[in-house]
Amino acid sequence: PMLADVSDKPLVKKAQHSLQNVPLAGKPIQEGIQNQYDKVLKNLGQGKNGEVISKAEAGKLAHKGAKAYQKQQNKTHEKIFNRLEEDIASLPDTNIEPTEIINFYAKEASKHSKTPKTEAAFKRSEHGKILADILDTYRTNEGTVPYEELMTQLDKIADKTTTYGQIGKKAQGRLKYLEKIIKKDIDRDLGSKLKILSPGAHTNWKQAKKVYSDFTNEDIPKLNEIYKANKNDAVDAFTNILNNSKRGAHKAKIVYEGLDPEDRVEFLNRVNKTLGSNNSGEFSPVLWSNKFKALEPEAQDVLLTPLTKQGKNKVKAIAESISHMKKTLGEANTSKTAYYTALGALGA
């Protein structure tokens, strides 16, 4: 690291930044910064410094990766659900007794029947309309509701609770609760019928339930966040993924898995460049390591995806040691002269 990396004094940092742009005198500093960045990228398994894409381009890759990931998942789900539909088609009866749904409807109707206004509001609500639809079928279908209709209602709920700008959080909460109620009735009746049909049919049913739940509750909300950010600005789509949270890490993983190998390198290269760049755009391995250490473990793992287990452990160990290195070098440097070397640990 150079003196500006290990010093906490603004004057030292300002001096290096000024010298960097001076002909001849600035060349060693420029080469040092370049060398630092190249060493970091080499150990992270990334591309060349001169080929770093912009944040806007990275945002476009984020959108591209999300779309490809969704397409991949749809193909995987199609195989599972095609078999499930075949099993369901083999059943002599797919009607569901909506015991839980009717009980829930009775409680909601009673709760909102205090005044004409509350009753009207319930009927207009998203969950009230779905309950009313199910109740109509229940009355005309001799106390049962076809599985297919309940799945249609679940699809409606998924659309409303995983897409932005349609309904508020409270309304979404009521719909998600209704979703659990509907699934209870389906699980009880259809699950037992598939179990009688064959052990394989019941196993596939359980697998399909988990896949459907994971995709609608975990993946789709993150995909929509990426798509929403991309509509505003491609840079937003990139920075949206970099937020330090498990949710951000999940979005980064979705993007990474959807991209081809070359685009993966471009995308993660931009991430590392952003993490290690100061406000002036200069790269510092110390800044990179500090920001890397501050990330959630899930985000760290995504950032180090291209590396082997040994390589990941090496980079994490280096990041842990750089803070100590900064303190030690800062205390040891009393001459106040600018110096630079490649970060030996990263280059080893």
Side-chain angles (χ1 to χ4, degrees):
M2 291 180 284
L3 181 59
D5 290 326
V6 298
S7 174
D8 291 322
K9 296 187 177 180
L11 185 60
V12 175
K13 298 180 183 294
K14 186 176 180 181
Q16 178 177 304
H17 178 63
S18 299
L19 281 172
Q20 180 183 343
N21 300 310
V22 175
L24 299 179
K27 187 176 180 181
I29 297 176
Q30 293 169 5
E31 291 176 347
I33 292 173
Q34 180 71 41
N35 199 9
Q36 289 177 330
Y37 185 52
D38 288 343
K39 294 294 183 183
V40 171
L41 288 186
K42 179 181 178 182
N43 282 274
L44 290 173
Q46 300 304 298
K48 297 178 181 178
N49 181 30
E51 299 174 355
V52 180
I53 60 176
S54 68
K55 291 181 181 179
E57 290 171 321
K60 291 176 182 177
L61 280 183
H63 186 264
K64 176 182 177 181
K67 293 291 286 184
Y69 175 86
Q70 185 175 1
K71 189 175 181 180
Q72 291 169 5
Q73 294 303 304
N74 286 341
K75 283 184 178 179
T76 302
H77 299 165
E78 188 177 354
K79 295 178 183 178
I80 298 172
F81 289 112
N82 280 348
R83 182 183 168 188
L84 175 61
E85 292 305 318
E86 289 175 4
D87 291 336
I88 292 174
S90 300
L91 294 173
D93 174 23
T94 60
N95 287 328
I96 307 296
E97 293 184 15
T99 309
E100 299 288 341
I101 300 171
I102 297 303
N103 288 339
F104 180 58
Y105 177 85
K107 290 178 182 178
E108 288 293 285
S110 175
K111 184 170 66 175
H112 293 88
S113 64
K114 306 300 180 184
T115 68
K117 285 186 178 181
T118 57
E119 186 175 354
F122 169 61
K123 290 179 179 179
R124 289 195 308 269
S125 69
E126 296 296 336
H127 79 298
K129 287 187 285 188
I130 291 176
L131 283 169
D133 285 345
I134 295 173
L135 185 63
D136 285 344
T137 303
Y138 169 77
R139 287 169 174 165
T140 58
N141 203 48
E142 299 180 351
T144 62
V145 179
Y147 159 77
E148 293 77 12
E149 179 173 330
L150 291 179
M151 287 304 298
T152 298
Q153 300 296 352
L154 286 178
D155 287 342
K156 286 183 184 178
I157 292 174
D159 287 342
K160 293 291 184 182
T161 56
T162 59
T163 305
Y164 281 87
Q166 292 196 357
I167 58 176
K169 289 184 178 180
K170 287 185 178 180
Q172 286 195 15
R174 286 190 286 268
L175 281 176
K176 287 179 179 178
Y177 185 75
L178 175 57
E179 178 184 37
K180 291 180 181 179
I181 295 295
I182 294 174
K183 286 180 178 178
K184 271 188 179 181
D185 282 329
I186 293 176
D187 289 352
R188 182 194 64 243
D189 289 1
L190 195 67
S192 61
K193 290 176 182 180
L194 288 169
K195 195 170 186 178
I196 294 172
L197 181 66
S198 75
H202 188 251
T203 299
N204 192 58
W205 158 250
K206 289 193 294 183
Q207 182 186 8
K209 282 197 305 176
K210 186 177 187 311
V211 166
Y212 179 84
S213 177
D214 289 347
F215 189 64
T216 55
N217 295 325
E218 298 296 330
D219 287 349
I220 289 180
K222 277 79 171 184
L223 286 167
N224 280 330
E225 287 178 15
I226 295 171
Y227 297 151
K228 181 191 177 188
N230 190 67
K231 285 182 181 179
N232 297 330
D233 189 330
V235 175
D236 286 348
F238 172 68
T239 55
N240 180 262
I241 286 172
L242 277 182
N243 69 76
N244 183 24
S245 65
K246 293 180 180 179
R247 195 178 189 85
H250 190 165
K251 285 184 283 188
K253 185 178 180 182
I254 284 174
V255 169
Y256 183 86
E257 290 184 2
L259 294 173
D260 58 39
E262 184 177 346
D263 285 340
R264 287 176 178 179
V265 171
E266 295 279 14
F267 182 74
L268 290 187
N269 192 7
R270 177 69 256 182
V271 173
N272 286 310
K273 173 70 173 177
T274 301
L275 284 180
S277 296
N278 58 26
N279 293 333
S280 301
E282 298 165 353
F283 184 84
S284 165
V286 175
L287 180 60
W288 178 88
S289 68
N290 287 340
K291 288 189 176 180
F292 175 81
K293 284 167 55 182
L295 293 173
E296 290 280 347
E298 292 83 358
Q300 290 183 359
D301 287 341
V302 173
L303 197 56
L304 302 182
T305 300
L307 302 182
T308 62
K309 183 178 180 180
Q310 182 180 6
K312 290 178 182 179
N313 291 336
K314 178 182 178 182
V315 171
K316 288 181 179 181
I318 290 168
E320 284 295 326
S321 66
I322 282 182
S323 293
H324 176 69
M325 186 187 302
K326 175 179 178 179
K327 181 180 179 183
T328 302
L329 289 175
E331 292 172 349
N333 179 56
T334 56
S335 65
K336 307 302 180 187
T337 56
Y339 67 93
Y340 72 95
T341 61
L343 189 59
L346 281 173

